Amino acid sequence: MAKYIFVTGGVTSSLGKGIIAASLAKLLQARGLKVTIQKFDPYINVDPGTLNPYEHGECYVTEDGAETDLDLGHYERFLNIFTSQANNVTTGRIYQTVINKEREGAYLGKTVQVVPHITDEIKRRMLQLGQDGQYDIIITEIGGTVGDIESLPFVEAVRQLQWELPEEDSVVVHLTLIPYLKAAKELKTKPTQHSVKMLSQEGVHPDILVCRTEKPLMPELRRKIALFCNVKQEAVIEAADAPTIYEVPLAMMREKLDIICMKKLNISTYNEPELTKWKEFLDKLKYPKSKVTIGLIGKYLELQDAYKSILESFVHAGAMNECQVQVVNVHSEFITGDNVAEKLGGLDGLVVAPGFGHRGVEGKIVAVRYARENNLPFFGICLGMQMAVIEFARNVLGLKEAHSTEMDPDSKEPVIDLMEEQKKITAKGGTMRLGAYTCELKKDSLAYKIYGYSPISERHRHRWEFNNKYLEMFENAGMMASGKNPSTGLVEIIELPNHPFFIGVQYHPELKSTVENPQPIFVHFIKAAKAYTERKAEVKNPLLQSEMI
Ligand code: GLN
């Protein structure tokens, strides 16, 4: 039987519950336990697929095609495992299930209520991943902040489960904030006391407090928190601000968060943590030998979470190359033919990000042209690949009116068109081409050189595709379709063999990059960016050039 760890949050949002949960999971995994994490989100959307990235950050897509919260990305990146639809549940999904059951007559004669019907469905889903013996430990992160109206049924479900399960089968970890008041030069514990009180009023008493803090928690302060919040002093954990999220598992290990959890869960046999690969990665991350600057062209740049997986993939790929990757945001709406050289001139590589809708598209096309004509390493992801196709059509094939029917439904040259199966779909939630699909690579391509094998499998989230009616024209002019779906012929990868590094992918490679397995396109793109800076240095410094000769 699996054991359950529940992670709640208090005082404010954005304390990094996902990172704490993922770090704890990493440590338990490193000690030889089979662990997975799930997130329960208290909003009414059935999934975050219909949310604007400005509201909620990136929508993370799993292998099985679930559109999920970005915390699942952290779970996969830390644990190097796949998550699935079952790992992210929202209030909307819970209600949808209960209401469907009610319509089917499952509760005939009964008044359907939050308690017990909604809470029963929450509990069923909380326990679900632990049913088939696949895992020793299920960590459940409860989204939102304790005290929110929305999260009440989830906390109530935790209360009931704690009552139902044997004492040693569950533990509650509460993440909280200990603010530092500059004027008083003091760390303040009152907000934490209040949030623990609130949680207790809802019937759940935390076993462990993880305290986010800017300053070290001295023993007397830990004692005070322990006393007032009624937890053991050893269970007051300091979570100091860390230079990177990847340091957090080691910080939590120093604080013995994993040991304290296992003690409460009565797990007495475990190994010394095996974190060799993790530590190697951290060393490379901390002591880079070179640096490149990558431009990320997108339109949701005000909120970094909108491109979370891309940014993390660069962290992984940078460490692999022992290279510091500085990502600079370039707002596509402000790029024009006149300022493009000035805006992109300092870059060593260009990424055009995924996206939807018309805004900012022309700037992206101008940026792709600059990369193509100046041998600047280029990497287009999903919409970014589609932009590269449109740019090539307009400026190389001379199809001036080339466009995607997403932006111009009446385009005379629809080089990017709506997928056939999408044409009859009207509902917006969960209806894109989602999840993992196979892609076959051409042997003599950059893509094959990068991956080293074929077929590959990557994850998707799109409605439009390369229009194969134009394929011959493109290939004759030097753009190669180097990856295709074997059953439908859908173009998954385009590249320019006469360019040092120019690749566009219809899928989202960033969703599969992990600390232990950095995504190969990102790794090779950084390699190409390094080569580009070296070439730039040679051109600028003739002495260096002659030395090289
Ligand atoms: N809007 C484009 C499509 O739906 C690209 C999607 C994306 O970048 N994720 O095909």
Side-chain angles (χ1 to χ4, degrees):
M1 272 300 283
K3 297 187 182 252
Y4 295 87
I5 300 177
F6 298 99
V7 181
T8 57
V11 183
T12 85
S13 57
S14 306
L15 287 183
K17 241 182 305 163
I19 301 295
I20 293 294
S23 299
L24 174 58
K26 181 77 220 168
L27 294 176
L28 297 170
Q29 184 195 54
R31 289 187 182 277
L33 296 165
K34 291 189 282 322
V35 190
T36 192
I37 320 188
Q38 53 186 352
K39 178 152 191 203
F40 282 62
D41 272 314
Y43 49 75
I44 294 175
N45 303 62
V46 172
D47 61 45
T50 49
L51 284 169
N52 186 322
Y54 276 130
E55 290 262 339
H56 203 70
E58 148 191 292
C59 174
Y60 187 81
V61 180
T62 55
E63 282 291 291
D64 62 350
E67 296 182 292
T68 70
D69 186 80
L70 56 79
D71 273 332
L72 270 79
H74 290 307
Y75 305 162
E76 291 204 4
R77 286 187 283 273
F78 274 53
L79 297 182
N80 204 27
I81 57 162
F82 288 160
T83 55
S84 70
Q85 179 71 76
N87 296 71
N88 191 195
V89 178
T90 67
T91 295
R93 196 172 290 280
I94 300 280
Y95 271 79
Q96 192 183 43
T97 311
V98 171
I99 291 170
N100 287 346
K101 274 171 77 180
E102 187 274 335
R103 291 290 80 185
E104 284 160 15
Y107 313 110
L108 274 188
K110 293 266 185 312
T111 310
V112 182
Q113 293 179 300
V114 173
V115 182
H117 301 99
I118 294 295
T119 46
D120 278 354
E121 179 59 18
I122 296 176
K123 285 192 292 180
R124 188 183 70 79
R125 291 193 184 245
M126 281 178 170
L127 296 177
Q128 198 176 17
L129 288 171
Q131 300 298 300
D132 59 4
Q134 213 188 329
Y135 299 107
D136 302 313
I137 293 187
I138 315 290
I139 300 185
T140 303
E141 179 190 344
I142 312 285
T145 310
V146 166
D148 293 350
I149 293 176
E150 285 91 343
S151 58
L152 270 175
F154 294 103
V155 177
E156 168 62 12
V158 173
R159 182 193 73 76
Q160 293 183 19
L161 277 180
Q162 282 208 295
W163 181 79
E164 287 164 19
L165 291 169
E167 175 75 20
E168 68 277 11
D169 278 2
S170 75
V171 55
V172 175
V173 178
H174 185 59
L175 178 63
T176 172
L177 175 72
I178 310 288
Y180 179 72
L181 283 195
K182 266 204 195 107
K185 293 201 180 64
E186 243 186 315
L187 286 167
K188 290 296 187 189
T189 64
K190 193 74 81 190
T192 295
Q193 294 178 39
H194 280 298
S195 97
V196 171
K197 201 165 161 188
M198 185 106 69
L199 189 57
S200 299
Q201 271 166 7
E202 292 173 13
V204 173
H205 190 74
D207 303 287
I208 299 171
L209 294 177
V210 176
C211 306
R212 284 295 307 271
T213 169
E214 287 172 46
K215 307 270 175 199
L217 289 187
M218 292 307 170
E220 53 294 6
L221 200 80
R222 290 189 196 227
R223 200 180 123 69
K224 182 177 171 188
I225 297 170
L227 179 67
F228 285 133
C229 298
N230 199 21
V231 298
K232 295 267 182 295
Q233 188 167 338
E234 58 165 23
V236 177
I237 304 283
E238 170 188 301
D241 295 349
T244 121
I245 54 171
Y246 300 106
E247 298 257 10
V248 179
L250 301 183
M252 290 302 102
M253 186 166 76
R254 286 192 293 273
E255 288 285 310
K256 302 195 170 58
L257 175 60
D258 51 338
I259 304 276
I260 297 162
C261 278
M262 287 189 294
K263 204 163 136 190
K264 166 72 175 64
L265 295 173
N266 212 8
I267 298 174
S268 49
T269 44
Y270 48 81
N271 309 327
E272 277 305 299
E274 167 48 42
L275 289 165
T276 320
K277 272 189 152 183
W278 191 273
K279 287 181 182 163
E280 275 170 19
F281 158 79
L282 263 182
D283 270 349
K284 287 186 181 162
L285 187 65
K286 281 201 277 195
Y287 307 108
K289 298 192 173 118
S290 55
K291 183 182 170 186
V292 293
T293 306
I294 303 297
L296 174 66
I297 312 250
K299 64 173 180 179
Y300 305 114
L301 296 169
E302 292 79 5
L303 184 72
Q304 285 300 296
D305 276 357
Y307 300 112
K308 195 83 211 159
S309 294
I310 294 180
L311 297 175
E312 296 307 328
S313 300
F314 277 125
V315 176
H316 309 154
M320 190 84 167
N321 281 289
E322 296 181 76
C323 175
Q324 184 192 344
V325 181
Q326 187 194 6
V327 179
V328 295
N329 297 326
V330 188
H331 231 299
S332 53
E333 282 174 285
F334 307 129
I335 303 177
T336 63
D338 294 333
N339 66 17
V340 66
E342 175 202 330
K343 284 203 183 287
L344 309 186
L347 302 178
D348 306 311
L350 178 75
V351 179
V352 177
F356 295 84
H358 187 267
R359 188 164 66 86
V361 155
E362 291 305 320
K364 288 184 178 174
I365 294 173
V366 173
V368 178
R369 179 177 193 165
Y370 178 87
R372 180 176 57 77
E373 292 181 343
N374 292 281
N375 283 337
L376 178 66
F378 169 81
F379 182 10
I381 303 178
C382 206
L383 183 72
M385 172 263 197
Q386 298 175 355
M387 293 299 111
V389 168
I390 297 169
E391 189 280 320
F392 194 83
R394 288 189 191 172
N395 300 321
V396 178
L397 303 181
L399 305 173
K400 291 290 165 225
E401 299 193 49
H403 219 321
S404 162
T405 52
E406 179 179 5
M407 289 88 201
D408 178 6
D410 304 317
S411 173
K412 291 206 181 62
E413 305 288 1
V415 289
I416 301 292
D417 204 3
L418 193 61
M419 280 180 275
E420 203 46 47
E421 73 258 29
Q422 287 286 328
K423 291 187 178 157
K424 41 190 183 303
I425 294 174
T426 50
K428 290 282 181 268
T431 56
M432 285 190 239
R433 179 173 179 250
L434 290 166
Y437 285 93
T438 309
C439 165
E440 241 157 38
L441 306 180
K442 272 196 186 146
K443 276 265 156 66
D444 55 346
S445 64
L446 173 64
Y448 193 87
K449 209 176 116 200
I450 289 174
Y451 281 91
Y453 59 90
S454 171
I456 56 162
S457 168
E458 294 279 5
R459 299 183 197 167
H460 299 73
R461 184 173 190 247
H462 67 124
R463 293 188 203 278
W464 276 265
E465 64 173 332
F466 183 96
N467 184 345
N468 272 329
K469 284 188 199 126
Y470 291 88
L471 186 56
E472 216 183 304
M473 257 178 111
F474 274 79
E475 298 221 289
N476 288 340
M479 181 174 267
M480 179 196 221
S482 55
K484 281 189 197 164
N485 180 290
S487 41
T488 62
L490 181 142
V491 174
E492 293 278 12
I493 311 177
I494 53 103
E495 57 184 78
L496 292 177
N498 67 354
H499 187 288
F501 193 100
F502 190 105
I503 193 163
V505 293
Q506 184 57 75
Y507 50 84
H508 289 266
E510 73 275 20
L511 300 176
K512 275 174 76 173
S513 189
T514 70
V515 166
E516 282 162 36
N517 270 319
Q519 209 285 338
I521 308 185
F522 283 86
V523 174
H524 282 259
F525 177 63
I526 295 304
K527 218 178 254 172
K530 271 171 70 178
Y532 182 82
T533 5
E534 281 156 22
R535 276 200 309 275
K536 261 197 322 200
E538 283 166 33
V539 175
K540 273 200 199 131
N541 185 349
L543 201 65
L544 197 64
Q545 215 170 12
S546 60
E547 270 173 18
M548 303 283 290
I549 293 162

